[in-house]
Amino acid sequence: MVVCKNTTLKDSPINKGAQKEMAMNTPPPESRMENLFFTFTEEHRKILNDLVRHNPKLMSGAFSLLVKNSKVLEFDNKRNYFNRRLHTRTEGRAPHGSLQLNVRRDQVFLDSFKSLYFKSADEMKYGKLNIRFSGEEGVDAGGVTREWFAVLSRQMFNPDYVLFNPVASDRTTFHPNQLSFINPEHLMFFKFIGRIIGKALYEGRVLDCHFSRAVYKRILGRPASVKDMETLDLDYYKSLLWIQENDITDITFETFSVEVDMFGEKKIVDLKEDGRNIPVTEENKHEYVRLVVEQRLYGSVKDQLQEFLK
């Protein structure tokens, strides 16, 4: 670990093939060190995790390099590392008062939105939540706040707000709804939901809300892949897969555009400049699949995701 710490390591190779290939050519000293590091950490995965578990501070010191091969770390160690990193960024913060909330149980989402939306980022992040449910006795020693998070995370998916759609593969995972603009406050709501999730992460709360893989990838700034389409729309995913795997030379086919149904009104969206006049061919089909996935998962809900991430 000490030797590797002073070497410039790249992140973990994507597949074993890449590692073998590196090992077969005579790699320069840096690559040899990389190979050594990845093989060493994978071989001693169990003991490394035990060491980190018993002394999390190692991840800020000698073992900080394990992040370069993060798949070696078990989930609880990753989470501890994440929380420690989150809380080391808070030096020099000014003290903040508590966030007092009085909410009606059946209107938790709207009442909380009205109370918290216009707070500053620092007030929201550092302020201690103090929740009261209207008409109910109870001192908030932590249990009430926990319950508030639970009720809030259920109400944000209330179909009446049209903010999210359940994904096709199950009814408990959600993706932003491209038609959410029918609700005039929708972008403010998305920003508010982002803040609640940020607050929960910062305080180590567990929220009962599950998003599509595409949403998590967007949070991490990663591009979507065709595989992410599978949970959202299985038939569409299969047809894209078919295009990728078969020769489409003699098939009259799509253009670089998609048709969107806006409450009965059909609208053509170009996937690239003048896309509606560019036919999809065997040569450009992979670009088409990439752009159509990007449009369906991100482009169609760009504003919603942007507010959510703020």
Side-chain angles (χ1 to χ4, degrees):
M1 285 296 194
V2 174
V3 174
C4 290
K5 202 167 165 45
N6 296 310
T7 313
T8 47
L9 291 180
K10 294 188 192 74
D11 285 342
S12 154
I14 302 301
N15 57 28
K16 286 278 191 292
Q19 262 172 296
K20 278 191 187 135
E21 211 177 290
M22 272 169 70
M24 276 159 66
N25 313 324
T26 313
E30 299 276 291
S31 311
R32 278 206 294 274
M33 188 55 82
E34 245 164 57
N35 268 348
L36 176 67
F37 172 72
F38 292 126
T39 349
F40 172 81
T41 48
E42 275 158 37
E43 260 173 44
H44 301 290
R45 177 189 202 124
K46 191 178 180 320
I47 196 164
L48 288 168
N49 274 292
D50 286 344
L51 287 166
V52 170
R53 198 168 285 118
H54 290 123
N55 184 2
K57 280 188 180 161
L58 284 169
M59 286 300 289
S60 319
F63 282 22
S64 58
L65 218 60
L66 280 177
V67 177
K68 295 282 185 188
N69 193 11
S70 61
K71 62 177 183 286
V72 161
L73 286 170
E74 283 162 20
F75 181 75
D76 59 326
N77 282 330
K78 285 183 181 175
R79 188 179 50 203
N80 280 340
Y81 171 76
F82 175 77
N83 288 332
R84 287 174 68 85
R85 283 293 296 269
L86 206 55
H87 290 276
T88 49
R89 296 170 51 174
T90 58
E91 295 93 23
R93 72 178 208 210
H96 284 275
S98 65
L99 297 164
Q100 306 275 354
L101 263 77
N102 196 340
V103 294
R104 295 164 293 173
R105 190 172 276 279
D106 59 336
Q107 296 291 333
V108 168
F109 184 80
L110 288 176
D111 289 353
S112 305
F113 170 77
K114 284 173 192 155
S115 304
L116 295 175
Y117 183 79
F118 295 102
K119 298 283 182 203
S120 75
D122 278 0
E123 279 177 299
M124 186 73 188
K125 186 174 177 182
Y126 304 124
K128 185 182 183 318
L129 285 163
N130 194 320
I131 314 285
R132 271 201 63 213
F133 285 108
S134 295
E136 297 179 26
E137 289 306 314
V139 179
D140 190 1
V144 185
T145 299
R146 198 162 44 247
E147 195 182 345
W148 173 79
F149 270 116
V151 176
L152 190 57
S153 61
R154 281 195 299 275
Q155 287 192 9
M156 61 175 81
F157 300 120
N158 180 338
D160 293 346
Y161 300 135
V162 290
L163 298 175
F164 293 95
N165 280 331
V167 304
S169 60
D170 72 55
R171 311 301 292 169
T172 56
T173 303
F174 294 87
H175 190 77
N177 181 354
Q178 63 173 337
L179 302 176
S180 64
F181 62 80
I182 194 80
N183 175 343
E185 273 97 34
H186 75 131
L187 293 179
M188 292 167 86
F189 282 161
F190 273 107
K191 185 175 175 184
F192 171 66
I193 289 169
R195 292 190 125 193
I196 294 302
I197 288 169
K199 180 75 171 162
L201 282 172
Y202 188 71
E203 295 195 352
R205 306 270 178 185
V206 177
L207 287 187
D208 186 18
C209 57
H210 309 272
F211 296 107
S212 66
R213 260 171 45 143
V215 170
Y216 295 120
K217 280 190 165 181
R218 189 72 188 81
I219 292 173
L220 294 168
R222 301 230 175 118
S225 70
V226 72
K227 181 84 180 141
D228 303 326
M229 201 70 234
E230 186 179 12
T231 49
L232 241 64
D233 185 337
L234 188 59
D235 293 338
Y236 197 66
Y237 164 71
K238 283 178 179 168
S239 72
L240 290 177
L241 222 51
W242 189 90
I243 293 168
Q244 280 188 323
E245 291 165 0
N246 294 279
D247 188 331
I248 60 162
T249 307
D250 300 321
I251 299 167
T252 21
F253 206 72
E254 312 280 341
T255 60
F256 272 77
S257 62
V258 285
E259 194 176 71
V260 183
D261 187 344
M262 297 285 187
F263 300 106
E265 189 189 326
K266 298 274 190 266
K267 191 178 161 203
I268 302 285
V269 177
D270 287 326
L271 298 175
K272 59 198 271 189
E273 204 178 331
D274 196 30
R276 64 194 73 187
N277 296 316
I278 302 172
V280 176
T281 63
E282 178 62 23
E283 285 67 47
N284 64 19
K285 68 179 184 182
H286 291 290
E287 183 192 8
Y288 168 76
V289 169
R290 180 177 60 77
L291 291 175
V292 89
V293 165
E294 195 78 20
Q295 167 61 25
R296 283 286 297 266
L297 296 177
Y298 294 159
S300 60
V301 287
K302 189 172 98 220
D303 296 342
Q304 292 88 325
L305 284 169
Q306 214 168 327
E307 290 302 310
F308 173 76
L309 288 173
K310 273 184 188 171

